[in-house]
Amino acid sequence: MSKKNNNILQKNLEEENILKQDELLDKVEKLKHVSLNIQTYLKNEKPSLDKLNNDYDKSIDMVKKSINGIGKLLKSSFGQNTCFLICVVFMVIFILYLL
């Protein structure tokens, strides 16, 4: 009887293992499908990301040039006078706006 119970138990365990293997195989297939979809998406988006990166680099360069230009302007006496004049004009406009 013990041998018969062992055989039944072993058969049940084998069936359970087969079911678990099938479940695992399904999950692996789903994961493979998701990873392939991600890979395809990234391949399609790479040109857009590259363009965005180039635009960002150009913007950074423009900001650096603008900051350097403003720095040079402020160092000159003409730039200081111009900056003072712009500040006065904005203050006058702001005071007129409040009235």
Side-chain angles (χ1 to χ4, degrees), residues 9-65:
L9 181 62
Q10 185 176 1
K11 186 176 180 181
N12 286 340
L13 286 174
E14 286 177 4
E15 288 176 3
E16 187 177 331
N17 265 351
I18 290 172
L19 288 174
K20 295 285 185 181
Q21 284 176 347
D22 289 342
E23 288 176 15
L24 184 60
L25 181 64
D26 288 342
K27 289 179 182 180
V28 167
E29 286 295 322
K30 287 179 184 178
L31 187 59
K32 179 183 175 185
H33 183 70
V34 167
S35 67
L36 289 174
N37 284 342
I38 290 172
Q39 181 184 16
T40 302
Y41 176 78
L42 290 176
K43 281 182 181 177
N44 292 337
E45 292 300 314
K46 187 174 181 348
S48 298
L49 292 173
D50 288 342
K51 184 181 181 303
L52 184 64
N53 192 26
N54 289 338
D55 290 345
Y56 178 76
D57 290 340
K58 288 177 184 176
S59 298
I60 293 293
D61 289 340
M62 287 175 52
V63 168
K64 285 180 182 177
K65 288 178 183 176

